[in-house]
Amino acid sequence: KNEVEQSPQNLTAQEGEFITINCSYSVGISALHWLQQHPGGGIVSLFMLSSGKKKHGRLIATINIQEKHSSLHITASHPRDSAVYICAVRSNYGQNFVFGPGTRLSVLP
Amino acid sequence: DAGVIQSPRHEVTEMGQEVTLRCKPISGHDYLFWYRQTMMRGLELLIYFNNNVPIDDSGMPEDRFSAKMPNASFSTLKIQPSEPRDSAVYFCASNIRGAQGEQFFGPGTRLTVL
């Protein structure tokens, strides 16, 4: 079993839809990182979470430490949100991250 | 700040040649990470440094791979000799411990070994 799993693997939505991407992990963590990778390849940090919920614009990230689960929500989705969203976790024992396989999101106009 | 800087952005080489990838972390960051991304395996940690000292190199695939960090503002990842299966995008990232550890990624180096 992979340490970090994401669902769905691929997601196609219509512009304006509410989107949820899920991340589950199997180890104790000190932080969880949501990253966005655009088709050009650059990786951008969206959120770093250790508890609760964070919001930035149309993006919301939540984490449930007891259930070892995090969700990334996008409200009023837009074609420019089309990207791969990657969940990464940092264990309690080091500074390195373990990455999920990513969720490829396509938002159609 | 210019962010994490990597060079070259693209590298095409022939099997057997030596390849050197370079990274300049964000000034003041004390952790530096090298990652490799492939279609098959996604993002994988190769090695990371703290205060220029290698902490975990368990992700380095073979002895053909080596990484150095001679000072706080420069790191190299070397592959010698290169093989076609080394073709991937190599990312460098840096962060500061204690600032929630958010990582800042460079633009990556796309390596193609023919």
Side-chain angles (χ1 to χ4, degrees):
Chain A
K1 187 178 191 298
N2 292 330
E3 288 186 42
V4 184
E5 296 183 333
Q6 289 185 235
S7 63
Q9 189 175 11
N10 294 285
L11 179 58
T12 299
Q14 289 296 132
E15 183 173 356
E17 286 185 6
F18 181 83
I19 289 162
T20 296
I21 298 170
N22 297 297
C23 175
S24 60
Y25 51 92
S26 57
V27 297
I29 68 168
S30 61
L32 183 143
H33 207 164
W34 279 104
L35 304 164
Q36 180 191 55
Q37 186 170 29
H38 274 281
I43 297 175
V44 175
S45 170
L46 297 176
F47 295 104
M48 193 81 160
L49 291 166
S50 55
S51 64
K53 173 178 163 179
K54 286 190 176 180
K55 184 177 190 294
H56 181 69
R58 294 181 295 106
L59 302 179
I60 303 167
T62 63
I63 188 168
N64 185 317
I65 296 294
Q66 286 74 27
E67 295 187 2
K68 294 186 167 61
H69 181 267
S70 175
S71 293
L72 176 68
H73 306 284
I74 305 175
T75 62
S77 60
H78 190 276
R80 64 175 175 265
D81 298 325
S82 298
V84 175
Y85 292 83
I86 302 169
C87 169
V89 300
R90 187 175 68 207
S91 76
N92 286 324
Y93 306 105
Q95 282 291 306
N96 59 298
F97 283 86
V98 176
F99 296 86
T103 294
R104 184 174 298 275
L105 171 65
S106 297
V107 182
L108 306 177
Chain B
D1 200 315
V4 177
I5 298 172
Q6 290 187 247
S7 66
R9 295 292 306 275
H10 302 272
E11 177 81 30
V12 180
T13 191
E14 292 187 344
M15 183 173 67
Q17 296 298 305
E18 177 181 301
V19 175
T20 299
L21 310 182
R22 297 173 176 80
C23 175
K24 176 177 166 54
I26 293 173
S27 177
H29 283 193
D30 55 353
Y31 281 84
L32 183 140
F33 303 78
W34 281 102
Y35 296 102
R36 178 172 67 176
Q37 186 179 39
T38 60
M39 289 292 290
M40 291 296 294
R41 300 172 67 92
L43 270 166
E44 301 174 286
L45 175 70
L46 298 176
I47 185 171
Y48 77 94
F49 296 84
N50 176 219
N51 292 323
N52 314 336
V53 177
I55 303 300
D56 183 352
D57 65 354
S58 59
M60 297 285 264
E62 303 171 32
D63 291 346
R64 299 184 296 107
F65 286 69
S66 62
K68 294 181 180 179
M69 192 164 186
N71 57 62
S73 58
F74 183 67
S75 177
T76 59
L77 178 68
K78 184 178 292 187
I79 308 172
Q80 180 185 21
S82 58
E83 296 183 3
R85 60 193 167 120
D86 302 330
S87 298
V89 181
Y90 291 82
F91 287 99
C92 175
S94 69
N95 73 359
I96 301 176
R97 186 172 187 170
Q100 280 228 310
E102 180 179 355
Q103 292 205 349
F104 296 84
F105 284 77
T109 295
R110 183 174 295 277
L111 173 64
T112 302
V113 183
L114 304 173

